[in-house]
Amino acid sequence: MRSLLFLSFVSTSLALQFPFKVPFFQSTVPPEDDEPVRGTPKVAIIGAGAAGSSAAFWISKAQHRFGVDVEVDVYEKTSHIGGRSLTIHPYDNDTFEPVELGASIFVKANKNMWRAAQEFNLTLRDLSKEDNDLGIWDGEQLLLNLGNSWWDMLKVLWRYGIMPPRRADSLVAGMLKQYSTLYTGDSPKWDNITDLAHSLGWMSLIESSGADFFTSNGVSKQYVNELIEAATRVNYGQNIDSIHALEAACSIAANGASQVEGGNWQIFQRFLNYSSANIYTNTKVSSITQKQSKSRPWVVHSDKGSTGYKAVIIAAPFHQTDIELPSALVSQIPEQPYVHLHVTLVTTTSSSFNREYLALSPHENAPHMILTTHEGVRQGRKAPEFNSISYHGKISEDEWVVKIFSEAPVEDKWLQTVFNGQVGWVHRAEFDAYPRLPPTSSFPPVRLDHGLYYVNAFEPFISTMETETLASRNVVDLLLNEEFSSSICGPRISGSTKDTSVADNDFVFGWDC
Ligand SMILES: Cc1cc2nc3c(=O)[nH]c(=O)nc-3n(C[C@H](O)[C@H](O)[C@H](O)COP(=O)(O)OP(=O)(O)OC[C@H]3O[C@@H](n4cnc5c(N)ncnc54)[C@H](O)[C@@H]3O)c2cc1C
Ligand SMILES: *[C@@H]1O[C@H](CO)[C@@H](O)[C@H](O)[C@H]1NC(C)=O
Ligand SMILES: *[C@@H]1O[C@H](CO)[C@@H](O)[C@H](O)[C@H]1NC(C)=O
Ligand SMILES: *[C@@H]1O[C@H](CO)[C@@H](O)[C@H](O)[C@H]1NC(C)=O
Ligand SMILES: *[C@@H]1O[C@H](CO)[C@@H](O)[C@H](O)[C@H]1NC(C)=O
């Protein structure tokens, strides 16, 4: 297998350009106007998470820059903005700092999230500065127990050697280098995610498991099965031998891990606010139908009525929306299993985990962040009862908040055991958190029909808040190009763009154009 280091030299001149090569889906309804074209054209966005809120934001950029005449309606079935990004106050008492319940971290390479936090004057909390002592648990024993001392670092070197981490790092650096081209003025535009993977030189990453990719590129099996797997299990609830290598690489690309103080959802709320779209919360879309109309061919039906639109953006995992679509459209969207994750927040006056549970010797301290590996199971031992457990700071002098991710619900009795009988408040949530991400080379279509787009087609490729904002930027460019002969950064999308690929690290495509 070729190394990413070489792949990273693939030139972005392979970038896909309009017009698309994929033949457009035939509408079942022939376009024919049954109404005079009057008023401002309307676009509907379904979902107000990272994807939907940023889609509204990108459209508004074209409105401001080029006067694109469009009115945007955002439908959100819940009462909150942010989707899988949401916070909760310990004890449901807002005198305590809110804690992220869903998506909690983004990194410096995530330029849209980073830039948005800056532009909207939100404060970032740098998590990499908060030294949490880390352990890796295999279900029966702590394979690794890292305090923050040089002695602990020596133990890592002893266990894995110097080369595995360095090889893994350079593979990830190669991936990130390609990834960063998505923020340049000549970023590829795509209507087919496989083609995008091709142009980024990522086919071997999506077609191999993390285990195969990293071991065949010289990273030791032990490092892959323990450390990299700990990262894929905490980030995606999946083992290193069943997740594709692109998502595995994203899991260990953690430089500058941060979150927005008070909650990441504020970025998405600001996106919507900036866009001045109409926002309909507590409004569930039940179906989308087609009618004979050039100006409003798509009808969105919700519990608040039915409205015609020029174009519709679906910004939620389709099979979780319960939206009815014409069958010819549904059949294009493959079933997509998601990892069902239990998130449990606990407050405790116990300053650390039960050392007996972790089978520690008397002089060993329990780490405050415990990640897990499936390696014990592969060797016939017991499975870990959780994917990750981490202390998340204090809510008072002697009380901590702890977050637990697990595949099954954690019982009260178990909580009493691991927190030495000192459990305060407990909050349990469940999510269809992220797609199952086995190696693959096929992805759902980004464009379902003329005027109908699907942002979350991107999730089985990479599933993060940031990449949802990238996927929506791309979808909005497709939409503006097709329906309004415009784009986010130019009145015409296919015209020659000025040279924006200057080596300016602060340049972010879509923001700076
Ligand atoms: C526990 C957990 C931890 C995570 N950790 C991270 C992390 O650290 N970093 C990271 O980047 N990502 C993380 N993720 C993944 C991240 O949350 C997602 O990739 C991202 O938030 C998806 O955004 P989205 O807008 O595409 O979808 P969603 O956030 O799911 O938004 C979709 C919205 O559509 C709405 N909707 C659905 N159906 C309808 C309908 N019929 N009508 C109207 N509205 C509808 C939903 O209510 C929802 O608000 C995590 C996810 C979970 C669950
Ligand atoms: C919220 O917490 C504060 C500080 O601990 C406490 O004084 C207050 O009574 C709590 N409020 C409620 C409604 O429990
Ligand atoms: C930005 O945030 C700081 C600190 O929170 C605040 O003092 C300042 O007024 C804010 N500026 C704007 C323009 O909102
Ligand atoms: C949007 O921003 C304005 C100005 O900062 C603020 O007054 C308003 O409350 C915000 N609206 C929402 C929905 O956040
Ligand atoms: C994307 O393109 C590949 C060929 O590169 C093709 O096999 C696949 O069907 C296309 N996917 C979609 C969703 O159109």
Side-chain angles (χ1 to χ4, degrees):
M1 193 174 303
R2 289 175 300 165
S3 153
L4 255 188
L5 289 176
F6 296 108
L7 293 180
S8 69
F9 291 112
V10 172
S11 142
T12 51
S13 65
L14 285 180
L16 307 177
Q17 288 300 334
F18 294 96
F20 313 109
K21 62 184 174 111
V22 175
F24 286 167
F25 183 79
Q26 287 295 311
S27 290
T28 43
V29 185
E32 181 188 309
D33 257 354
D34 62 348
E35 64 196 54
V37 183
R38 67 180 127 77
T40 301
K42 285 164 77 84
V43 169
I45 297 173
I46 301 167
S53 65
S54 59
F57 175 77
W58 297 124
I59 293 174
S60 71
K61 283 286 182 193
Q63 284 175 306
H64 297 163
R65 288 178 184 140
F66 312 113
V68 173
D69 185 30
V70 55
E71 185 180 340
V72 177
D73 289 347
V74 179
Y75 292 86
E76 169 53 56
K77 74 175 173 191
T78 69
S79 59
H80 91 100
I81 303 301
R84 273 168 276 169
S85 171
L86 73 170
T87 51
I88 186 171
H89 296 279
Y91 290 100
D92 299 311
N93 179 334
D94 58 19
T95 61
F96 298 123
E97 290 280 305
V99 184
E100 294 286 359
L101 197 54
S104 54
I105 293 170
F106 53 93
V107 297
K108 207 150 189 185
N110 293 165
K111 293 192 177 187
N112 289 331
M113 294 292 287
W114 208 267
R115 180 67 175 267
Q118 269 177 4
E119 298 258 341
F120 300 137
N121 202 17
L122 297 166
T123 309
L124 289 185
R125 174 171 161 195
D126 184 348
L127 299 167
S128 60
K129 293 218 173 86
E130 295 171 21
D131 34 27
N132 246 338
D133 37 342
L134 172 80
I136 296 181
W137 174 247
D138 78 349
E140 293 185 13
Q141 54 178 320
L142 273 182
L143 301 181
L144 198 65
N145 185 359
L146 299 180
N148 289 303
S149 67
W150 58 271
W151 172 242
D152 289 313
M153 286 322 293
L154 274 188
K155 284 190 290 188
V156 179
L157 294 183
W158 180 255
R159 191 171 180 90
Y160 303 112
I162 293 175
M163 283 321 280
R166 277 184 44 193
R167 287 224 177 86
D169 283 354
S170 67
L171 291 166
V172 170
M175 184 276 287
L176 282 176
K177 189 176 169 204
Q178 280 301 84
Y179 174 78
S180 69
T181 64
L182 296 173
Y183 298 97
T184 62
D186 47 18
S187 162
K189 316 262 190 315
W190 60 93
D191 63 355
N192 180 313
I193 293 167
T194 310
D195 292 347
L196 173 67
H198 257 295
S199 77
L200 292 170
W202 286 354
M203 290 309 287
S204 62
L205 281 170
I206 56 172
E207 288 179 333
S208 5
S209 71
D212 289 344
F213 179 82
F214 282 104
T215 51
S216 66
N217 278 287
V219 184
S220 77
K221 219 170 177 148
Q222 192 168 25
Y223 189 82
V224 170
N225 287 349
E226 293 177 10
L227 267 169
I228 304 183
E229 184 166 76
T232 61
R233 284 172 61 86
V234 64
N235 285 310
Y236 291 109
Q238 290 159 78
N239 297 331
I240 192 67
D241 44 17
S242 56
I243 192 168
H244 62 64
L246 177 60
E247 200 70 305
C250 290
S251 301
I252 52 174
N255 272 353
S258 295
Q259 61 183 204
V260 175
E261 248 170 44
N264 294 326
W265 59 270
Q266 296 170 101
I267 287 183
F268 309 126
Q269 186 212 39
R270 299 296 200 283
F271 275 154
L272 286 177
N273 194 343
Y274 177 95
S275 79
S276 38
N278 308 309
I279 297 146
Y280 302 102
T281 48
N282 299 308
T283 307
K284 183 174 175 179
V285 172
S286 52
S287 66
I288 303 171
T289 55
Q290 284 170 293
K291 70 170 182 186
Q292 300 196 346
S293 162
K294 215 173 222 163
S295 57
R296 308 223 160 148
W298 297 102
V299 184
V300 170
H301 307 269
S302 72
D303 42 22
K304 300 255 170 73
S306 303
T307 310
Y309 294 94
K310 192 171 175 75
V312 176
I313 296 175
I314 300 172
F318 176 73
H319 296 288
Q320 292 167 32
T321 61
D322 293 331
I323 294 175
E324 273 181 50
L325 274 185
S327 59
L329 298 178
V330 175
S331 63
Q332 294 181 65
I333 312 175
E335 283 292 335
Q336 175 58 64
Y338 270 65
V339 172
H340 192 76
L341 188 75
H342 292 259
V343 178
T344 309
L345 289 181
V346 173
T347 64
T348 178
T349 48
S350 175
S351 63
S352 72
F353 298 112
N354 184 335
R355 298 171 57 260
E356 222 168 288
Y357 177 86
L358 297 175
L360 293 176
S361 57
H363 59 275
E364 260 187 302
N365 289 325
H368 288 91
M369 179 187 281
I370 306 179
L371 306 184
T372 56
T373 162
H374 196 62
E375 194 51 16
V377 178
R378 284 189 284 260
Q379 297 182 7
R381 296 200 295 274
K382 199 176 133 216
E385 289 167 291
F386 55 89
N387 294 351
S388 63
I389 300 187
S390 50
Y391 272 66
H392 277 265
K394 283 182 174 179
I395 64 163
S396 68
E397 232 2 85
D398 57 354
E399 191 168 7
W400 289 264
V401 189
V402 182
K403 191 189 281 188
I404 303 168
F405 285 174
S406 58
E407 281 166 33
V410 293
E411 308 292 334
D412 285 336
K413 203 174 140 219
W414 186 83
L415 292 175
Q416 291 297 336
T417 305
V418 298
F419 296 111
N420 302 303
Q422 295 164 258
V423 177
W425 167 81
V426 178
H427 179 86
R428 292 183 169 84
E430 291 176 46
F431 294 92
D432 285 315
Y434 358 76
R436 291 215 170 270
L437 299 151
T440 184
S441 59
S442 77
F443 299 92
V446 174
R447 179 186 179 281
L448 299 169
D449 196 351
H450 203 289
L452 185 63
Y453 306 89
Y454 183 36
V455 184
N456 296 64
F458 206 83
E459 271 200 83
F461 188 56
I462 309 177
S463 172
T464 64
M465 296 182 281
E466 174 72 14
T467 44
E468 289 302 284
T469 71
L470 274 177
S472 76
R473 187 194 75 197
N474 178 67
V475 153
V476 165
D477 260 345
L478 299 190
L479 185 157
L480 291 173
N481 183 60
E482 276 192 305
E483 307 292 335
F484 296 89
S485 300
S486 188
S487 81
I488 298 169
C489 279
R492 300 255 1 146
I493 200 159
S494 45
S496 60
T497 45
K498 54 184 182 311
D499 184 31
T500 45
S501 57
V502 282
D504 176 0
N505 260 338
D506 293 332
F507 179 91
V508 186
F509 182 58
W511 296 83
D512 303 306
C513 286

